[in-house]
């Protein structure tokens, strides 16, 4: 086994020196907080990113650019908790007989099949991704996309309707599946209380999404960077100037040979 060197002065070395059980959390936190190199999907947009108001960020992702970001250990554990609940809900829907999907997860092979079953691709808009579930109401005979979200108590109590970025996210799913409504399931991760909302397909909103992405593609293909929209959470952007390893939008340059037309994928 390769010997690992613990940097002097690091939080891990200090905790270990104290010879307390805190070394275990520190070790895991160091692992979770490593800088992450994010490689995006060249030639495609993903539904979960469409609610972001920054066209420049979507352009970088569309070009498959590499960006770096750091996620705090606690935040990463929160993300992982949401991922686990997502799989739990797929199991609930499957076992209750409301899901139209044949697979929900469980074994690695089943998760692979479930992922393939939920995959959508809209070539005209350069969108591809994966929805949570498709459900069927046995009484009304209606179908709906099911979108599962988790949040803390404070955010959940303030919720009065589906969040706007979530509404934008589900429109490609509805368009691709020919389903005209989404049921949002918002779960309070602190106590598992639930709020559900129904959102109908909005043709005008979908058209605006198509126009926005077409404009980004046109600018990228003409080697121009779309407008950057500053945000309060800029520090979370993998392409932000102050994040390690990336010079930011101001130093943007196109390189010859970048392939952003992966239409045959």
């Amino acid at each position: 086994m390769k010997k690992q060197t613990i940097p002097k002065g690091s939080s891990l070395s200090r905790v270990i020196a104290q010879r307390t059980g805190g070394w275990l959390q520190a070790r895991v936190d160091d692992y979770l907080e490593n800088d992450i190199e994010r490689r995006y999907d060249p030639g495609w947009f993903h539904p979960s990113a469409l609610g972001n108001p920054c066209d420049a960020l979507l352009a970088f992702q569309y070009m498959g650019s590499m960006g770096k970001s750091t996620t705090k250990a606690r935040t990463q554990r929160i993300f992982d908790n949401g991922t686990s609940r997502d799989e739990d809900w797929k199991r609930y829907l499957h076992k209750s007989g409301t899901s139209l999907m044949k697979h929900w997860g469980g074994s690695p092979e089943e998760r692979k099949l479930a992922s393939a079953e939920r995959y959508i691709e809209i070539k005209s808009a350069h969108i591809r991704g994966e929805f949570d579930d498709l459900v069927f109401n046995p009484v009304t005979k209606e179908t709906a996309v099911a979108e599962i979200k988790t949040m803390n108590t404070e955010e959940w109590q303030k919720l009065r309707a589906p969040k706007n970025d979530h509404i934008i996210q589900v429109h490609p799913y509805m368009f691709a599946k020919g389903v005209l409504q989404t049921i949002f399931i918002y779960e309070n991760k602190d106590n598992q209380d639930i709020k559900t909302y129904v959102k109908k397909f909005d043709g005008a909103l979908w058209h605006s999404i198509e126009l926005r992405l077409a404009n980004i593609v046109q600018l990228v293909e003409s080697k121009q960077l779309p407008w950057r929209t500053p945000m309060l959470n800029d520090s979370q952007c993998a392409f932000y100037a102050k994040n390690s390893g990336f010079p930011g939008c101001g130093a943007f340059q196109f390189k010859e040979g970048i392939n952003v037309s992966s239409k045959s994928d």
Side-chain angles (χ1 to χ4, degrees), residues 7-257:
K8 265 180 125 183
S10 69
S11 59
L12 178 57
S13 67
R14 290 193 297 271
V15 173
I16 290 177
Q18 295 171 7
R19 297 183 179 277
T20 68
W23 69 267
L24 184 57
Q25 178 186 342
R27 185 82 180 191
V28 173
D29 284 359
D30 275 6
Y31 157 72
L32 291 174
E33 291 184 3
N34 282 336
D35 287 344
I36 300 171
E37 286 192 343
R38 302 185 183 277
R39 172 69 71 184
Y40 295 92
D41 192 6
W44 298 94
F45 300 101
H46 287 252
S48 59
L50 299 182
N52 193 304
C54 183
D55 286 356
L57 180 142
L58 291 183
F60 280 123
Q61 292 184 355
Y62 176 74
M63 291 186 294
S65 299
M66 179 74 77
K68 283 190 177 182
S69 62
T70 300
T71 303
K72 293 295 184 184
R74 179 174 177 273
T75 302
Q76 187 58 53
R77 291 196 296 272
I78 290 171
F79 290 159
D80 290 342
N81 178 271
T83 300
S84 297
R85 291 306 291 158
D86 176 86
E87 185 164 310
D88 287 339
W89 267 97
K90 288 175 182 175
R91 184 177 78 253
Y92 301 157
L93 296 173
H94 179 79
K95 297 290 186 180
S96 65
T98 55
S99 175
L100 290 171
M101 303 289 96
K102 294 180 181 178
H103 309 277
W104 62 267
S107 69
E109 181 59 31
E110 279 289 309
R111 283 195 291 272
K112 185 177 179 181
L113 292 170
S115 179
E117 197 174 17
R118 289 163 173 78
Y119 175 81
I120 62 110
E121 185 175 292
I122 307 171
K123 290 187 176 181
S124 60
H126 302 269
I127 296 173
R128 64 182 177 190
E130 187 179 320
F131 59 92
D132 285 340
D133 220 300
L134 195 63
V135 294
F136 175 75
N137 185 326
V139 177
T140 65
K141 310 302 180 184
E142 294 178 309
T143 58
V145 170
E147 183 64 21
I148 303 152
K149 302 293 184 184
T150 61
M151 54 183 57
N152 62 34
T153 297
E154 182 180 5
E155 190 177 10
W156 188 87
Q157 288 179 340
K158 293 177 181 177
L159 194 68
R160 297 291 181 269
K163 297 182 72 172
N164 187 59
D165 56 332
H166 296 162
I167 292 172
I168 293 172
Q169 176 184 348
V170 299
H171 268 73
Y173 305 148
M174 289 190 282
F175 180 84
K177 300 305 294 183
V179 175
L180 298 179
Q181 60 183 337
T182 292
I183 298 177
F184 289 93
I185 302 168
Y186 287 96
E187 183 177 271
N188 183 332
K189 63 180 124 188
D190 298 326
N191 58 22
Q192 278 61 62
D193 282 348
I194 293 169
K195 289 181 181 179
T196 59
Y197 302 100
V198 175
K199 183 66 180 178
K200 300 292 186 181
F201 182 83
D202 184 334
L205 175 59
W206 171 244
H207 185 56
S208 72
I209 293 170
E210 289 182 305
L211 288 178
R212 181 192 183 197
L213 299 186
N215 180 62
I216 292 172
V217 170
Q218 183 178 13
L219 288 170
V220 168
E221 291 181 347
S222 62
K223 299 190 176 182
Q224 299 179 61
L225 181 66
W227 186 259
R228 174 176 121 71
T229 303
M231 293 172 286
L232 291 175
N233 62 343
D234 266 345
S235 61
Q236 298 174 24
C237 176
F239 308 114
Y240 185 50
K242 293 181 182 178
N243 285 337
S244 174
F246 194 82
C249 297
F252 173 77
Q253 288 184 345
F254 277 92
K255 295 180 181 178
E256 295 299 327

